[in-house]
Amino acid sequence: MGDSDLSRWQTSLHHYLPKTVVSFLKNKEADELQLPESHSFKCAVLFADLKGFTSLTEELTNIGNTESESQHLGTEELATQLNRYMTQIVRFTTKSGGDVLKFAGDAMVAVYEVLDDEDSALELNAEAAIASALKMQTRPEIANYTFQFDPQKNDKKLRKSDTQSTSGDKKVKKSRSSFKRNRKDQNEKIKRKINAEKEKKLKSDHFLLRVKFGISVGEVNIVHIGGAVDTFDSSRIEYLAVGPALKDAFDAEGCCNPGEVVVSAAAMNAVKKNASKYSFKSKGGNFYQVFSNGTPQVPQIAFRRISDKKALSRAMFNYVPAAVAPYLDESKHFESWLSELRRVTTLFCDIGMSDEMMVQLTAGDPEAQEKLHRIFEQIQTFVFKYEGVINKFLVDDKGNTLIIVFGLAPFSHDDDSDRAVLCGIDIINYLNTVDLTPAMGVTTGVCYSGVIGHSGSRREYSIIGDCINMAARLMSLAKKKNAGVPVASRQCLYIETETRKNLRNMKLIQSFVKAKEAVLLKGHKEPVEYYKRDLETMLVLKTFQRPSLRHCRLATVFVKDYGSKNDESINSARYLFYVHPGKTIGDIRDMVVGKVNSKQVEEEKDHWILLYHKVTPDESLTGGARYHNSQSINEFPKDMKILYFEFSRLEKPPKPRSLYGKEDQFYTKRLSIIEKPPNFEGEDSFSIIQRLKNFKKSSGDFLRIIFIEGSYGVGRTFAIDESGLGYHYYTNHSEHKCFHLRTNANPYLGINDPNRYAHVWINLINKILDDKLVEADIDVSDSKTVLKERTKHVLSAFKRSDKMYQGKVAPDSKRDEMQLHVLNDILRIACNETAFTIKKDSIIFGKKDIDTIFSKSDDNVLRARSKIIDPLEMQSILERSEKSQGSEVVMRLLLAIFVGLLPKKHHAYVVIDDSHYMDPYSWWVLLELAENWKNVPLSIILSHRKLGISDALSVAQETMEQNAEIAVSRIQDSYVFAEESTAGIFLRQTRLHARAGSKAQRKAPDTMKTMAYSSLDQHQDVICLISKLQTLDNTEFVEVRARPEYTSHIICNILEVEEPPQEIVSFIQEKTNGNPLFIADAIKLYEKTGAIKLDKYGGFTTAAINFDDDARGKFEAGKDLVPVTIESIVGMIIDKMSVTQQVALKVAALIPKEPPIFDLKLIMDLSPVKKSIEETEHAWEEILNSGIIVEVQDDPGNYKFMNPWVRESIQRRILSKQKEEIVKKFRNL
């Protein structure tokens, strides 16, 4: 960043912080701050809070809840009106000398800081705050702010712009006319959705907002805390305002009615000498309503001015959300493109500080500040681990509240709900250890995310929406219901229905149960259902973490009688069965029948059916599934530790089906006749199934690696499951000819989390060791025996692997064996670190001798030992020691142990899911395995999300080799593994003797702090290592793609129907381009709206779609819907792009042409970002690599979106003002 760019960036950025913080940071860098730091000052405090905002939020956001293009109009209108209103308040406040500390949704805190110690200055500032508040209450645009909102009018305005922009094109005119008709139908549907009360309010022409002001005087303390490093290698710092003056202002506002100004007794006393100007009325306690005896006159006061822009600190960046900075490099106008509509998961957290700690913080106690700093830094670590954003930390009238958001720029994921809940659980577990009592509320929904405040002075990056308010209410509810409850019994994390629906992690799904009664929350007219963690389920899930129970399940069976006959011996009951591996559905049914022991069940056994649910039948979102009695529970996903069943009597039972790959599944009947089109490149998920089966048949006594690469939802996991390679089981029994093992790269281990390094290989080794304990029937409660057995297996595996390295003994095996103790804690073993034999009948070296030899620091030791050890052998050991670094030793140890643990006689199959989340160290281990362990009878299948790796580095072989060497060198020079672990300590010790000239030697730290390994370096290193793997003869890369012509057959398979209506098939094929995940989500969506209706009996489906007139009408009305998963995936892809690329995609999505085809010149003409041709072309090339945009076939230079839903997903993020801007530009071209 150049000096001019930096100056522009700093000038804009300082508006996102209060002046008192900007002044404190002047000429300071982030690394100069000794956190926690604090600074205090005397001031008058003004707290402004809007009345009616919560109920207004629900009304406006529900107006657009039709899942159509105008779905977000209410949320956008809410943000627009709030911004206009807050802008007026900010303008008056700053003009009178106030400094806005923070925005908090519909509230704002400002201070009138005293810049000298004179008492008269404090009195004058108090009068300025009071007079400013009174003056604002006389202004109609603040005291009685009214506005209109009609979603039809807003839509009509945009449609008018669209039509005018294409007035010269008859074809486009016709398209626009069709568009208008569709929009008219859609608006009629919106009308019907609005209830009578809302329509009445719309007809009354306005909504009303009013404000309350609380004012006090005293001392405020600004505490700077945090400093944890996020994914972008930047430390994030938060400032927190506390002090008695703030508390008094909050309490004053609590006594206030809309339109009033209430002050504390201290504030009243400060202006008493001007008694002729003001009069006061007691509001109870030490608070008084103030009135102006005439027109309020704001006195002139001294206030901070930011004059020297060059002295502004770069440390400001560490205080502002990462989403903001990229938009500050361009023009002031461009900053408005930062704002957008997003689907997010919001976590409100009251960290549960005690009253005593709050008093200490308010008083400025350094020990309390230090404690809060440590707590907040640890919370930051959890949030960054799951790639969330801390939007705010507030101490206000609602307590001490953290607002954590998942799905905000620059991070969004398709599993943000899981990330939020997992993060919340980690935070709760931690806060419980430091004697705090947290409470949390989690919600998912659409919100406005962007700039709030005055564009010319003070503003912040905030979130607004009904889901945000609901999270705050659920947090308050959790706090209230858990007050006084012991830690072991607290259920302090509440989530609402939308978050529960979006959860993917089966353990999370099963651990949350619906509260017995819905609750009426503030601002909501209807009771809200919510879920909380079930202590009983959590205990069960924890029990199944034991190695001996890892493959077992708990069958929970609910007995219900839907039939006409009544047997009093059959009651609605729940039975629990402990199920061992290998048991079948039929075995479970027999156990249930034995428990029920009913004559009716015996007589009508064909009508009593065992139906499977992912959760309890009452909470299941779908009907139960009937599986074959021969189905093994081993084939259920391994993370489903609790299997829920319903044992029911049905007159017409549903047809049984198979869980995986049986002959009667629809896809095998329907898709086997489809041949690959001649122009189709790559593989589809069904051809991959056969390819993997052939891959398994051709297994030999050698190593093979196959990468299955594909974009989101194309069926990589499905193909692995159906091929039979996806099952996890371990056995050494002779009747089995192979060994299957499956793991996944953990997406929730943050970029700076030391536990992520080599996680995949450590996980695989630990799984095998756990299975060996189960096979040997070891009592896992006997920790000493377990430790001894694991150590024995590791030592045995290391020795066994000796001759498997390139068909001979590994060159470093003798030396490495001495270092096995470095893996003690990560593998849970107990290898000695003191002595080991180098030659069986010659000598034993002690640990100090080994350290001395390998460091070459004492020639006397060498001379003393050289009489016994062969000099050539000793020289070889020392030469390898000089070249070897600690991280290489750990890598070789892990590989040797993993290979040695594999079965002796059978081929092994290892599946690694989500390998795109693997860390560089794990890729380095895989590369070493592929290059030097080729004789191991092992097949590794990696399911890899397409990241453009196949085309990323088309470089010469020599350059590629150099890139791989650089990557390996960077991994070696980085401090991986936790500092306190045996491996981490070993690496830091060996780094003291790093090779000359290495980064480690140049920057060797005095303390044991982790050397930064930036996210950019890690990403580049992964690409380099994968590119090297591509060149090896024992690796194979296969790209999986979606097949549009499979759409009909995939629908058949999902719904288990024979002939879906062609209208539905054609539409879904056009929208999804054959992507199986998108097809499945589309079907769920249309089932929910009633567009797809299945003939049902007793809650379970038969093989027919009832596409009657009602369903057809709902289908037509819902054609503009976009499945949530598609929206999330598109958002995840574009959030990883630069601002230039994101805006280019938004512009492309807004081009009002039919068909929506465009070229790069048109994008450049319309874009608010002005870059050079070279920069734009480079950015566009990366967009094309993402797959979101594709070149039109037989029309070079023209482009379109990969499918219409991608375009519509991007459109849904864009604000109306931005749309109008692009349409207007297009019209003027």
Side-chain angles (χ1 to χ4, degrees):
M1 186 182 292
D3 291 340
S4 60
D5 293 332
L6 180 61
S7 176
R8 182 173 62 245
W9 177 76
Q10 288 174 320
T11 303
S12 299
L13 192 61
H14 86 269
H15 292 302
Y16 287 83
L17 292 170
K19 292 176 183 176
T20 184
V21 172
V22 173
S23 178
F24 173 77
L25 294 175
K26 191 174 182 180
N27 296 319
K28 287 187 178 181
E29 298 299 330
D31 55 4
E32 296 175 9
L33 295 173
Q34 301 298 315
L35 300 176
E37 288 205 18
S38 65
H39 52 107
S40 59
F41 49 85
K42 292 181 179 179
C43 64
V45 176
L46 181 148
F47 177 49
D49 192 13
L50 273 61
K51 174 63 177 177
F53 180 76
T54 302
S55 57
L56 174 65
T57 300
E58 185 192 22
E59 291 187 32
L60 283 181
T61 52
N62 284 343
I63 285 175
N65 272 347
T66 60
E67 293 296 321
S68 64
E69 185 179 330
S70 56
Q71 174 194 18
H72 308 331
L73 282 177
T75 301
E76 181 181 351
E77 182 69 13
L78 177 73
T80 300
Q81 298 300 338
L82 177 65
N83 218 348
R84 288 176 183 170
Y85 194 60
M86 296 300 290
T87 294
Q88 298 294 330
I89 296 176
V90 171
R91 184 170 62 85
F92 272 93
T93 303
T94 55
K95 189 176 180 180
S96 62
D99 183 14
V100 177
L101 277 184
K102 282 200 176 184
F103 296 90
D106 59 344
M108 181 200 79
V109 181
V111 293
Y112 291 74
E113 183 180 358
V114 175
L115 300 182
D116 57 53
D117 293 330
E118 297 293 332
D119 291 338
S120 59
L122 181 60
E123 295 170 358
L124 192 64
N125 285 20
E127 185 177 357
I130 292 173
S132 177
L134 289 170
K135 189 172 183 178
M136 282 188 271
Q137 293 290 27
T138 66
R139 305 287 296 194
E141 67 269 29
I142 295 177
N144 292 286
Y145 180 82
T146 60
F147 67 93
Q148 295 177 322
F149 176 60
D150 185 348
Q152 301 173 50
K153 183 177 179 180
N154 287 25
D155 255 1
K156 186 177 180 181
K157 183 178 179 182
L158 188 58
R159 292 200 310 275
K160 183 178 179 182
S161 299
D162 285 351
T163 307
Q164 290 176 351
S165 67
T166 54
S167 58
D169 190 331
K170 292 182 179 180
K171 183 177 180 181
V172 176
K173 267 189 174 182
K174 182 178 179 181
S175 174
R176 292 272 71 83
S177 176
S178 173
F179 176 70
K180 287 182 71 176
R181 289 196 300 273
N182 290 338
R183 298 297 294 163
K184 183 177 180 181
D185 293 339
Q186 168 195 299
N187 288 325
E188 289 299 321
K189 185 174 62 173
I190 294 176
K191 272 187 174 180
R192 292 193 298 269
K193 294 287 286 187
I194 302 174
N195 59 39
E197 183 178 344
K198 291 177 182 174
E199 285 192 2
K200 181 178 178 181
K201 193 157 190 176
L202 283 173
K203 290 175 182 177
S204 69
D205 265 351
H206 69 275
F207 291 98
L208 175 65
L209 284 177
R210 304 186 73 188
V211 67
K212 304 184 294 181
F213 290 105
I215 297 174
S216 69
V217 296
E219 189 163 299
V220 167
N221 190 25
I222 306 293
V223 186
H224 301 256
I225 55 177
V229 178
D230 65 10
T231 304
F232 294 106
D233 308 308
S234 174
S235 64
R236 312 308 302 177
I237 305 173
E238 181 73 20
Y239 68 92
L240 187 68
V242 293
L246 284 167
K247 184 179 184 304
D248 287 347
F250 298 146
D251 291 342
E253 184 274 332
C255 302
C256 197
N257 294 318
E260 295 180 352
V261 178
V262 174
V263 301
S264 66
M268 181 184 70
N269 293 331
V271 296
K272 261 190 174 180
K273 67 178 183 180
N274 294 318
S276 60
K277 294 183 181 181
Y278 310 104
S279 57
F280 300 89
K281 175 183 175 182
S282 175
K283 298 288 285 188
N286 293 318
F287 301 101
Y288 302 85
Q289 183 181 355
V290 61
F291 303 88
S292 177
N293 299 329
T295 303
Q297 298 295 323
V298 181
Q300 294 293 320
I301 65 171
F303 58 89
R304 293 191 182 276
R305 299 178 185 272
I306 307 299
S307 54
D308 185 7
K309 303 293 193 300
K310 293 183 179 180
L312 293 175
S313 171
R314 297 188 188 207
M316 291 188 299
F317 170 79
N318 302 86
Y319 289 78
V320 177
V324 173
Y327 286 87
L328 303 182
D329 292 340
E330 303 293 333
S331 65
K332 180 180 177 181
H333 161 72
F334 181 60
E335 193 177 337
S336 65
W337 282 79
L338 166 63
S339 302
E340 56 187 355
L341 298 170
R342 283 176 168 261
R343 182 174 293 276
V344 300
T345 299
T346 307
L347 188 157
F348 264 68
C349 172
D350 186 313
I351 66 175
M353 284 193 291
S354 64
D355 293 340
E356 180 184 0
M357 185 175 177
M358 286 292 294
V359 170
Q360 292 172 342
L361 274 177
T362 301
D365 182 8
E367 290 186 7
Q369 292 177 6
E370 176 66 34
K371 181 178 180 180
L372 180 62
H373 163 65
R374 292 197 304 269
I375 291 170
F376 183 74
E377 188 178 24
Q378 184 59 56
I379 290 174
Q380 282 184 313
T381 302
F382 292 132
V383 175
F384 299 154
K385 168 184 175 181
Y386 294 101
E387 295 195 333
V389 174
I390 298 178
N391 184 254
K392 281 183 177 59
F393 187 19
L394 305 169
V395 175
D396 57 16
D397 57 321
K398 297 178 179 64
N400 38 88
T401 306
L402 268 169
I403 306 176
I404 304 169
V405 191
F406 292 82
L408 279 185
F411 306 107
S412 63
H413 311 85
D414 55 343
D415 58 350
D416 277 322
S417 293
D418 292 76
R419 290 171 180 268
V421 174
L422 289 168
C423 178
I425 292 171
D426 283 353
I427 293 173
I428 288 173
N429 291 338
Y430 166 70
L431 293 179
N432 286 338
T433 65
V434 291
D435 299 324
L436 297 182
T437 54
M440 293 184 184
V442 182
T443 59
T444 300
V446 174
C447 78
Y448 166 90
S449 62
V451 179
I452 290 291
H454 192 272
S455 61
S457 57
R458 183 72 168 90
R459 51 193 181 271
E460 278 189 0
Y461 182 77
S462 295
I463 51 175
I464 299 169
D466 187 47
C467 61
I468 313 301
N469 294 348
M470 188 186 291
R473 306 304 174 206
L474 285 177
M475 175 194 73
S476 299
L477 180 67
K479 184 176 181 179
K480 178 181 177 180
K481 285 187 174 292
N482 287 277
V485 177
V487 172
S489 303
R490 286 173 61 85
Q491 296 171 289
C492 54
L493 174 58
Y494 291 178
I495 66 176
E496 46 72 71
T497 303
E498 193 63 27
T499 302
R500 170 66 172 68
K501 287 179 181 178
N502 290 337
L503 290 179
R504 296 184 177 185
N505 184 299
M506 189 51 59
K507 289 181 181 178
L508 290 182
I509 291 172
Q510 294 186 340
S511 64
F512 279 89
V513 297
K514 186 187 295 184
K516 293 181 180 179
E517 294 182 358
V519 64
L520 192 61
L521 299 177
K522 179 182 176 181
H524 288 262
K525 295 178 180 177
E526 299 296 330
V528 175
E529 292 184 339
Y530 67 97
Y531 294 75
K532 54 187 178 181
R533 297 180 78 198
D534 180 55
L535 297 177
E536 179 183 320
T537 304
M538 291 163 56
L539 181 62
V540 171
L541 293 174
K542 186 175 181 180
T543 301
F544 280 96
Q545 292 177 358
R546 299 175 182 173
S548 59
L549 302 178
R550 197 153 56 87
H551 298 299
C552 297
R553 316 291 180 105
L554 180 71
T556 303
V557 184
F558 296 83
V559 178
K560 294 184 179 181
D561 184 6
Y562 292 125
S564 57
K565 295 185 179 181
N566 182 25
D567 186 343
E568 293 182 358
S569 66
I570 303 176
N571 299 314
S572 293
R574 182 182 70 162
Y575 298 105
L576 303 178
F577 301 99
Y578 186 67
V579 186
H580 289 275
K583 294 293 184 180
T584 64
I585 297 293
D587 294 332
I588 297 175
R589 187 183 185 282
D590 291 341
M591 287 190 281
V592 177
V593 171
K595 278 284 186 181
V596 173
N597 193 24
S598 167
K599 184 178 179 181
Q600 179 186 340
V601 173
E602 288 295 332
E603 291 176 351
E604 301 178 336
K605 59 182 179 181
D606 292 337
H607 290 273
W608 281 87
I609 307 301
L610 195 66
L611 300 159
Y612 167 74
H613 295 265
K614 289 185 178 179
V615 292
T616 62
D618 291 339
E619 295 178 7
S620 181
L621 301 176
T622 59
R626 181 186 179 190
Y627 291 123
H628 285 292
N629 286 336
S630 60
Q631 194 88 50
S632 171
I633 69 159
N634 295 355
E635 298 178 25
F636 284 87
K638 60 181 181 297
D639 58 346
M640 288 186 181
K641 294 303 180 186
I642 304 177
L643 302 179
Y644 291 100
F645 295 94
E646 180 180 352
F647 190 57
S648 304
R649 182 187 183 281
L650 299 174
E651 290 294 336
K652 187 179 178 182
K655 178 184 176 183
R657 58 180 178 172
S658 297
L659 188 61
Y660 289 125
K662 303 296 181 182
E663 293 181 357
D664 61 351
Q665 271 204 299
F666 277 84
Y667 84 84
T668 52
K669 290 184 177 181
R670 303 297 304 279
L671 295 179
S672 58
I673 60 173
I674 303 296
E675 294 183 359
K676 187 183 296 187
N679 296 327
F680 186 80
E681 298 179 3
E683 301 278 352
D684 62 77
S685 57
F686 300 104
S687 63
I688 285 290
I689 294 172
Q690 189 57 49
R691 186 174 187 135
L692 288 176
K693 288 180 178 179
N694 295 337
F695 181 80
K696 184 175 180 179
K697 289 178 182 178
S698 60
S699 301
D701 294 333
F702 51 86
L703 174 69
R704 297 184 310 169
I705 301 172
I706 182 169
F707 289 79
I708 303 176
E709 188 181 60
S711 60
Y712 300 87
V714 295
R716 291 173 284 117
T717 302
F718 172 79
I720 293 172
D721 288 340
E722 298 296 337
S723 69
L725 291 174
Y727 306 143
H728 172 108
Y729 64 84
Y730 168 84
T731 181
N732 273 330
H733 295 169
S734 58
E735 63 266 21
H736 291 282
K737 296 183 179 179
C738 59
F739 165 99
H740 290 213
L741 197 61
R742 190 168 190 173
T743 190
N744 67 292
N746 192 335
Y748 306 131
L749 293 177
I751 200 78
N752 297 306
D753 189 340
N755 294 318
R756 75 188 295 259
Y757 297 108
H759 168 76
V760 165
W761 302 101
I762 293 171
N763 195 23
L764 287 169
I765 291 171
N766 281 325
K767 281 187 175 185
I768 299 175
L769 291 175
D770 287 344
D771 283 331
K772 283 183 175 290
L773 293 180
V774 174
E775 189 178 60
D777 197 23
I778 301 297
D779 180 7
V780 294
S781 62
D782 185 352
S783 57
K784 290 185 178 180
T785 303
V786 169
L787 190 66
K788 181 179 178 181
E789 286 295 314
R790 291 177 68 92
T791 304
K792 180 185 75 174
H793 287 301
V794 165
L795 291 171
S796 174
F798 189 88
K799 292 180 180 179
R800 181 174 172 267
S801 67
D802 247 5
K803 296 183 179 180
M804 302 175 73
Y805 178 89
Q806 296 182 352
K808 58 184 180 181
V809 175
D812 295 293
S813 63
K814 292 293 184 183
R815 177 185 180 278
D816 288 348
E817 196 169 2
M818 303 176 195
Q819 309 292 350
L820 276 171
H821 66 275
V822 306
L823 301 181
N824 276 352
D825 50 3
I826 60 178
L827 296 185
R828 305 192 298 276
I829 57 177
C831 290
N832 289 329
E833 56 175 317
T834 53
F836 206 89
T837 304
I838 286 187
K839 283 191 173 182
K840 287 185 178 178
D841 42 13
S842 57
I843 189 169
I844 294 180
F845 278 95
K847 180 180 181 298
K848 291 183 179 179
D849 293 337
I850 294 172
D851 290 342
T852 303
I853 292 172
F854 291 149
S855 65
K856 294 175 47 176
S857 60
D858 191 346
D859 290 338
N860 291 326
V861 175
L862 303 185
R863 284 194 292 271
R865 303 299 188 188
S866 61
K867 296 179 182 178
I868 305 175
I869 297 180
D870 180 61
L872 293 177
E873 182 180 355
M874 177 59 69
Q875 183 179 357
S876 176
I877 291 176
L878 292 175
E879 286 177 354
R880 290 194 298 275
S881 173
E882 182 178 10
K883 295 177 182 178
S884 179
Q885 299 222 29
S887 50
E888 288 182 65
V889 174
V890 176
M891 180 267 292
R892 290 196 301 266
L893 289 174
L894 289 172
L895 263 182
I897 294 168
F898 171 70
V899 169
L901 286 173
L902 296 176
K904 299 178 181 179
K905 300 180 180 179
H906 308 311
H907 197 91
Y909 295 90
V910 174
V911 175
I912 303 176
D913 291 308
D914 298 326
S915 58
H916 43 274
Y917 289 120
M918 275 170 54
D919 63 282
Y921 198 97
S922 291
W923 284 110
W924 181 32
V925 173
L926 182 63
L927 178 62
E928 174 73 12
L929 179 67
E931 287 186 317
N932 296 312
W933 299 78
K934 297 182 180 181
N935 296 323
V936 177
L938 170 66
S939 293
I940 298 178
I941 300 94
L942 298 103
S943 175
H944 200 89
R945 186 178 296 160
K946 182 171 173 56
L947 301 175
I949 290 172
S950 300
D951 308 316
L953 295 175
S954 54
V955 297
Q957 177 75 17
E958 182 180 352
T959 305
M960 187 272 300
E961 294 281 355
Q962 292 174 352
N963 291 338
E965 288 181 9
I966 293 172
V968 170
S969 176
R970 191 150 45 202
I971 295 169
Q972 291 173 337
D973 286 343
S974 301
Y975 289 125
V976 294
F977 302 105
E979 295 178 2
E980 67 278 4
S981 69
T982 49
I985 294 172
F986 174 72
L987 296 187
R988 285 156 181 77
Q989 289 175 341
T990 56
R991 191 67 76 249
L992 297 176
H993 312 295
R995 60 186 181 281
S998 72
K999 185 194 296 183
Q1001 193 176 45
R1002 292 194 305 271
K1003 297 185 178 181
D1006 296 328
T1007 60
M1008 287 172 50
K1009 291 186 177 180
T1010 302
M1011 180 179 290
Y1013 188 9
S1014 74
S1015 57
L1016 178 61
D1017 284 346
Q1018 293 194 37
H1019 179 70
Q1020 290 177 341
D1021 291 347
V1022 166
I1023 292 178
C1024 291
L1025 294 174
I1026 294 178
S1027 299
K1028 176 67 180 296
L1029 278 164
Q1030 281 184 293
T1031 66
L1032 303 181
D1033 55 7
N1034 56 352
T1035 61
E1036 181 180 358
F1037 277 70
V1038 179
E1039 182 180 350
V1040 186
R1041 298 187 180 184
R1043 297 261 307 264
E1045 61 271 28
Y1046 273 1
T1047 302
S1048 174
H1049 311 297
I1050 294 173
I1051 293 174
C1052 289
N1053 188 41
I1054 293 172
L1055 293 177
E1056 296 195 354
V1057 298
E1058 293 292 345
E1059 293 295 338
Q1062 189 57 42
E1063 291 176 63
I1064 294 178
V1065 173
S1066 299
F1067 177 78
I1068 292 180
Q1069 179 171 325
E1070 175 195 351
K1071 291 288 189 178
T1072 65
N1073 205 30
N1075 184 292
L1077 176 62
F1078 294 176
I1079 293 171
D1081 277 351
I1083 290 172
K1084 289 179 185 177
L1085 179 61
Y1086 289 123
E1087 278 190 291
K1088 180 181 177 181
T1089 61
I1092 294 179
K1093 296 193 298 186
L1094 299 175
D1095 287 336
K1096 297 184 178 181
Y1097 185 87
F1100 307 103
T1101 63
T1102 58
I1105 292 181
N1106 183 4
F1107 199 54
D1108 56 17
D1109 290 341
D1110 177 63
R1112 192 182 303 275
K1114 290 178 179 177
F1115 177 71
E1116 290 295 327
K1119 281 189 173 181
D1120 58 345
L1121 306 182
V1122 178
V1124 171
T1125 302
I1126 298 173
E1127 194 176 343
S1128 300
I1129 289 174
V1130 172
M1132 180 167 52
I1133 295 173
I1134 65 176
D1135 269 357
K1136 291 180 171 62
M1137 298 181 178
S1138 68
V1139 167
T1140 303
Q1141 294 164 340
Q1142 290 184 37
V1143 174
L1145 284 171
K1146 290 181 179 180
V1147 169
L1150 291 176
I1151 293 174
K1153 288 177 60 178
E1154 292 296 338
I1157 294 173
F1158 43 86
D1159 58 22
L1160 184 55
K1161 183 180 183 304
L1162 180 58
I1163 301 296
M1164 293 178 66
D1165 290 341
L1166 297 177
S1167 177
V1169 184
K1170 301 305 176 186
K1171 299 288 185 181
S1172 66
I1173 295 177
E1174 291 77 11
E1175 289 177 306
T1176 305
E1177 289 178 345
H1178 177 70
W1180 192 251
E1181 188 66 31
E1182 292 185 359
I1183 291 175
L1184 293 176
N1185 287 337
S1186 74
I1188 281 187
I1189 298 288
V1190 295
E1191 195 166 22
V1192 178
Q1193 192 172 0
D1194 301 326
D1195 192 3
N1198 282 317
Y1199 305 92
K1200 65 178 182 179
F1201 285 92
M1202 64 179 292
N1203 66 56
W1205 270 340
V1206 170
R1207 182 187 182 216
E1208 291 164 25
S1209 295
I1210 297 173
Q1211 287 177 341
R1212 291 157 74 88
R1213 283 190 165 202
I1214 307 171
L1215 303 182
S1216 296
K1217 279 189 174 181
Q1218 298 163 351
K1219 295 176 182 178
E1220 292 170 10
E1221 177 187 336
I1222 299 303
V1223 171
K1224 183 178 179 180
K1225 280 186 178 182
F1226 183 83
R1227 185 172 67 241
N1228 294 332
L1229 284 178

